């Protein structure tokens, strides 16, 4: 059943529960989740992986959520054997504050996947400090068929 294993969270409707492993949500719902009253919500601590699909279809919510996801990733993805935060020098006090919180909560690493068929991968790779994995697209033959006479509306 929907909500067991795989669920969703869209405006005015949610099907997810304790047994939900994967939740589909819109960028707006992720933004709302990240901006609740809890400081820990900025860490996106409910998630182990965030997939931003169709990143080229920009919206206000996407433009706001991408830096929040990056901050959460920087705060949560640290070497557990090193107590120094030298890797986030120059990232600002917000990230340092989130890192302290992540350490205290023992938050797991956050994986981020940004997907797009048309966007400049170099910009996103540089922004997130990540590698690009290119998956070549496939083309399929398209047959166009025409009716000999107009079809009646049903």
């Amino acid at each position: 059943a929907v909500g067991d294993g795989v669920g969703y969270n869209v405006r005015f409707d949610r099907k997810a529960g304790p047994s939900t492993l994967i939740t589909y949500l819109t960028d707006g719902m992720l933004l709302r989740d990240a901006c609740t009253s809890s400081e820990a919500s900025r860490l996106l601590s409910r998630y182990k992986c965030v997939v931003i699909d169709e990143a080229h279809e920009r919206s206000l919510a996407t433009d706001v959520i991408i830096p929040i996801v990056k901050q959460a990733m920087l705060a949560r993805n640290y070497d557990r054997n090193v107590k120094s935060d030298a890797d986030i020098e120059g990232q600002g006090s917000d990230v340092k504050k989130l890192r302290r919180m992540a350490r205290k909560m023992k938050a797991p690493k956050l994986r981020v996947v940004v997907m797009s068929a048309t966007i400049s991968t170099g910009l996103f790779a540089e922004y997130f400090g990540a590698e690009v994995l290119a998956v070549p697209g496939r083309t399929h033959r398209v047959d166009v068929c025409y009716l000999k006479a107009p079809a009646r509306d049903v």
Side-chain angles (χ1 to χ4, degrees):
V2 175
D4 295 333
V6 178
Y8 66 88
N9 186 2
V10 295
R11 193 172 184 197
F12 305 123
D13 194 12
R14 182 177 193 272
K15 285 273 194 220
S19 62
T20 304
L21 299 174
I22 299 171
T23 305
Y24 164 82
L25 44 129
T26 62
D27 52 0
M29 294 308 295
L30 183 60
L31 180 59
R32 181 176 168 192
D33 208 18
C35 295
T36 61
S37 58
S38 165
E39 277 288 318
S41 65
R42 288 289 302 276
L43 282 172
L44 302 173
S45 57
R46 294 178 50 198
Y47 308 101
K48 293 181 183 174
C49 180
V50 173
V51 178
I52 301 172
D53 193 14
E54 305 293 349
H56 61 277
E57 293 181 7
R58 294 181 55 199
S59 69
L60 180 61
T62 304
D63 286 355
V64 173
I65 200 63
I66 286 176
I68 291 172
V69 168
K70 180 182 178 182
Q71 281 188 338
M73 183 189 74
L74 288 171
R76 290 173 52 179
N77 295 2
Y78 60 90
D79 185 344
R80 270 52 178 172
N81 299 318
V82 177
K83 298 298 177 199
S84 166
D85 290 333
D87 63 314
I88 58 170
E89 285 303 319
Q91 293 294 330
S93 60
D94 283 351
V95 174
K96 289 180 182 180
K97 183 176 167 184
L98 289 171
R99 171 68 61 86
R100 285 192 297 275
M101 201 179 319
R103 284 185 191 278
K104 188 175 181 179
M105 292 172 54
K106 295 183 170 48
K109 290 186 176 190
L110 178 64
R111 304 295 182 214
V112 178
V113 179
V114 180
M115 298 189 303
S116 174
T118 60
I119 206 156
S120 171
T121 56
L123 293 173
F124 274 97
E126 184 180 336
Y127 183 73
F128 281 102
E131 296 178 29
V132 174
L133 174 64
V135 179
R138 297 185 195 122
T139 57
H140 300 277
R141 190 181 87 235
V142 176
D143 294 326
V144 179
C145 301
Y146 297 97
L147 296 174
K148 292 181 182 183
R152 194 177 55 123
D153 286 342
V154 186

